């Protein structure tokens, strides 16, 4: 196992109706002038935003509103949010929504205390200082409620990049699985896919002897594979949603990624797709993952075969473990299709003629350094071949 540090200071508040106490947690973390950030309207329709406002009103907490975050959140709204923070002297940002809203809030939080262009943080400048943020989560997927990461699409070129810093980890996150009952089945399935991807990206490691994190990842995957379809089928199943929601947080706060090298090739290859076609991140991953895994299979057949046996219930072919490894990837693909995910370029809405450009941007766009992935470093030609495998 590699050396590591792990700092995960988020105060989690889990369960029914907890969002009604949001002002208590804002006070706990010294918020007095709050920016409430939200998305395209689901929180208005469900009445959640009104309940949040009522909670802040009850404590006479000053707040300002900034809605309109789109899925695959854009840089334009971040600049707007930074201006509001500076103008109104905001000292706390409350994100009410999913990964897109939380990521936009993190970008604003970092940009509000920075004299330069916030985009510098998405070009490898480390984030060392940010306004405190809290979240009220409405979709379990990206894991941003427990992570120190944020992903934003730059509208000047439509490319997607990430930034990170421990100061971006939310001070508190309220996770009420009931709030997710209004999600369309497709969005729930995208979330399930993203959670699994966060676990695969960590499972595919070159570090030896990482039994504890291997086993944690396997347990989370088994839970997601069990609970995911139950929630897609019955959106009102509170307990299944609750298990899924906590698994989604644990999949990405890095408790099961410490002490080991990680991959992230699938995410890098997917981010080009959601930036260009504005598809859901999880849907893109459903198409990307089987292709990347098949391409990388020979790098460590035993690792793929181990996962196939322990998680996907395959029997080990001791004469040819590659068969087992491949069967595990096919079972993942079948599972994703069974919950309604796309399975190729066409069903995702991507175009073959864009492949050279997608592969080039993934490897060389902006500050990229020529390869993607920590498991197998993939160059432009490899990435191109992988995109062609998705046709
Ligand atoms: O905008 P509204 O109207 O709220 O609708 C949203 C949106 O259309 C809707 N929704 C959310 N909660 C709902 C709901 N509809 C009905 N009822 C509810 N309770 O769902 C749609 C998708 O929301 P979004 O926030 O985009 O989803 P998700 O949480 O999957 O976030 C995706 C973003 O996170 C990034 C992705 O790249 C993508 O931009 N990621 C962030 C990560 C991180 N910060 O650590 C890691 C991930 O790998 C990922 O890259
Ligand atoms: Zn993801």
């Amino acid at each position: 196992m590699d050396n590591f540090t792990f700092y995960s200071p988020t105060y989690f508040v889990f369960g029914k109706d907890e969002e009604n106490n949001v002002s208590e947690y804002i006070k706990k973390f010294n918020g007095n002038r709050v920016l409430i950030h939200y998305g395209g309207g689901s929180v208005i329709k469900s009445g959640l935003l009104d309940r949040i406002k009522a909670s802040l009103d009850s404590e006479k907490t000053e707040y300002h509103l900034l809605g309109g975050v789109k899925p695959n959140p854009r840089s334009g709204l971040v600049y707007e949010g930074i201006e509001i923070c500076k103008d109104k002297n905001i000292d706390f940002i409350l994100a009410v929504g999913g990964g897109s809203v939380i990521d936009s809030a993190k970008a604003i939080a970092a940009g509000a205390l920075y004299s330069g262009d916030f985009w510098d943080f998405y070009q490898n400048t480390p984030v060392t200082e940010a306004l405190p943020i809290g979240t009220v989560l409405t979709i379990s997927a990206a894991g941003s409620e427990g992570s120190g990461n944020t992903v934003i699409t730059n509208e000047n070129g439509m490319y997607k990049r990430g930034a990170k810093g421990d100061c971006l980890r939310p001070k508190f996150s309220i996770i009420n699985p009931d709030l997710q009952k209004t999600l369309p089945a497709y969005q729930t399935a995208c979330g399930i896919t993203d959670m699994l991807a966060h676990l695969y990206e960590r499972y595919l490691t070159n570090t030896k002897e990482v039994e504890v994190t291997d086993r944690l990842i396997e347990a989370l995957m088994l839970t997601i594979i069990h609970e995911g379809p139950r929630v897609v089928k019955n959106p009102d199943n509170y307990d299944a949603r609750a298990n899924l929601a906590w698994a989604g947080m644990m999949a990405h706060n890095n408790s099961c990624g410490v002490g080991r090298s990680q991959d992230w090739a699938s995410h890098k290859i997917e981010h080009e797709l959601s930036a260009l076609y504005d598809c859901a991140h999880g849907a893109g991953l459903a198409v990307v993952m089987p292709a990347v895994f098949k391409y990388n299979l020979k790098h460590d057949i035993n690792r793929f075969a181990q996962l196939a046996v322990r998680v996907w219930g395959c029997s080990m072919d001791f004469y040819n473990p590659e068969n087992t490894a491949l069967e595990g990837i096919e079972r993942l693909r079948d599972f994703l299709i069974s919950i309604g995910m796309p399975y190729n370029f066409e069903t995702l809405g991507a175009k073959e003629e864009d492949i050279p450009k997608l592969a080039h941007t993934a490897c060389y766009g902006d500050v990229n350094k020529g390869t993607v992935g920590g498991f197998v470093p993939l160059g432009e030609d490899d990435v191109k071949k992988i995109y062609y495998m998705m046709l």
Side-chain angles (χ1 to χ4, degrees):
M1 197 194 291
D2 299 335
N3 290 5
F4 67 87
T5 60
F6 180 52
Y7 177 72
S8 178
T10 306
Y11 189 96
F12 290 102
V13 185
F14 194 99
K16 291 182 182 177
D17 300 328
E18 292 291 357
E19 67 280 5
N20 297 329
N21 305 320
V22 65
S23 61
E24 185 188 311
Y25 300 107
I26 292 173
K27 285 272 173 277
K28 185 178 168 75
F29 293 99
N30 306 316
N32 293 305
R33 285 172 304 283
V34 180
L35 179 70
I36 302 180
H37 201 32
Y38 57 96
S42 72
V43 298
I44 299 173
K45 208 166 142 196
S46 66
L48 174 62
L49 187 63
D50 280 342
R51 283 187 288 124
I52 300 284
K53 287 198 272 185
S55 174
L56 271 75
D57 285 336
S58 71
E59 295 275 348
K60 298 197 174 18
T61 305
E62 179 184 329
Y63 61 80
H64 301 269
L65 298 168
L66 180 62
V69 180
K70 293 189 174 135
N72 304 316
R74 314 290 154 87
S75 48
L77 198 67
V78 173
Y79 289 113
E80 222 178 288
I82 292 169
E83 280 313 304
I84 298 175
C85 287
K86 289 181 175 169
D87 189 41
K88 306 286 182 197
N89 207 10
I90 296 291
D91 61 12
F92 196 95
I93 303 180
L94 180 69
V96 186
S100 294
V101 173
I102 301 172
D103 285 3
S104 183
K106 287 175 177 175
I108 295 170
L113 299 185
Y114 184 59
S115 54
D117 184 343
F118 94 91
W119 192 252
D120 292 349
F121 298 125
Y122 295 78
Q123 312 249 288
N124 298 340
T125 301
V127 191
T128 53
E129 207 188 1
L131 286 175
I133 81 156
T135 84
V136 178
L137 186 70
T138 62
I139 170 173
S140 287
S144 193
E145 68 276 15
S147 84
N149 302 57
T150 148
V151 182
I152 298 289
T153 299
N154 192 326
E155 279 159 305
N156 189 8
M158 292 312 276
Y159 58 100
K160 211 173 187 188
R161 293 290 176 268
K164 60 182 171 188
D166 275 335
C167 60
L168 295 175
R169 288 184 185 258
K171 296 292 172 211
F172 69 80
S173 279
I174 297 179
I175 305 173
N176 172 2
D178 258 347
L179 297 179
Q180 303 192 23
K181 285 180 178 171
T182 50
L183 276 169
Y186 183 77
Q187 284 297 342
T188 297
C190 289
I192 292 164
T193 309
D194 196 15
M195 293 172 196
L196 282 175
H198 295 158
L199 295 164
Y200 267 97
E201 301 280 24
R202 291 176 166 94
Y203 203 84
L204 298 176
T205 184
N206 294 316
T207 313
K208 303 289 175 216
E209 304 283 347
V210 281
E211 186 70 4
V212 63
T213 39
D214 269 2
R215 292 295 187 179
L216 279 172
I217 293 172
E218 290 159 11
L220 289 168
M221 283 184 169
L222 286 165
T223 305
I224 294 163
I225 293 163
H226 175 68
E227 302 291 21
R230 296 174 77 207
V231 176
V232 171
K233 212 163 152 195
N234 178 6
D236 294 335
N237 186 335
Y238 177 85
D239 287 316
R241 267 214 196 273
N243 281 293
L244 195 60
W246 195 239
M249 195 296 293
M250 288 176 72
H252 197 45
N253 84 333
N254 211 30
S255 46
C256 48
V258 294
R260 53 198 290 150
S261 71
Q262 303 182 10
D263 189 11
W264 300 98
S266 297
H267 268 69
K268 293 269 165 54
I269 292 172
E270 189 296 310
H271 280 166
E272 299 307 324
L273 297 171
S274 48
L276 191 63
Y277 305 112
D278 207 15
C279 57
H281 169 60
L285 285 167
V287 177
V288 169
M289 280 193 289
V292 171
F293 301 162
K294 278 185 191 161
Y295 194 83
N296 284 344
L297 188 78
K298 287 205 161 56
H299 176 69
D300 192 345
I301 289 171
N302 289 337
R303 182 137 279 271
F304 283 103
Q306 174 178 297
L307 193 65
V309 170
R310 292 184 183 176
V311 172
W312 293 106
C314 303
S315 319
M316 179 59 103
D317 181 342
F318 290 103
Y319 295 105
N320 190 356
E322 190 172 340
N323 288 338
T324 312
L326 264 175
E327 194 187 337
I329 298 170
E330 283 308 324
R331 290 206 187 176
L332 164 70
R333 191 163 184 268
D334 291 347
F335 172 82
L336 297 174
I337 292 171
S338 77
I339 58 170
M341 287 289 91
Y343 48 88
N344 59 17
F345 252 42
E346 195 187 341
T347 49
L348 183 68
K351 296 197 186 88
E352 182 177 352
E353 63 260 33
D354 291 332
I355 287 179
K357 178 182 158 192
L358 287 164
H360 184 74
T361 335
C363 293
Y364 290 105
D366 201 19
V367 288
N368 293 354
K369 294 198 172 70
T371 59
V372 297
F375 186 51
V376 182
L378 301 164
E380 188 174 343
D381 269 353
D382 301 306
V383 174
K384 213 184 279 177
K385 284 180 194 153
I386 290 169
Y387 279 126
Y388 279 114
M389 287 166 72
M390 300 176 210
L391 290 178

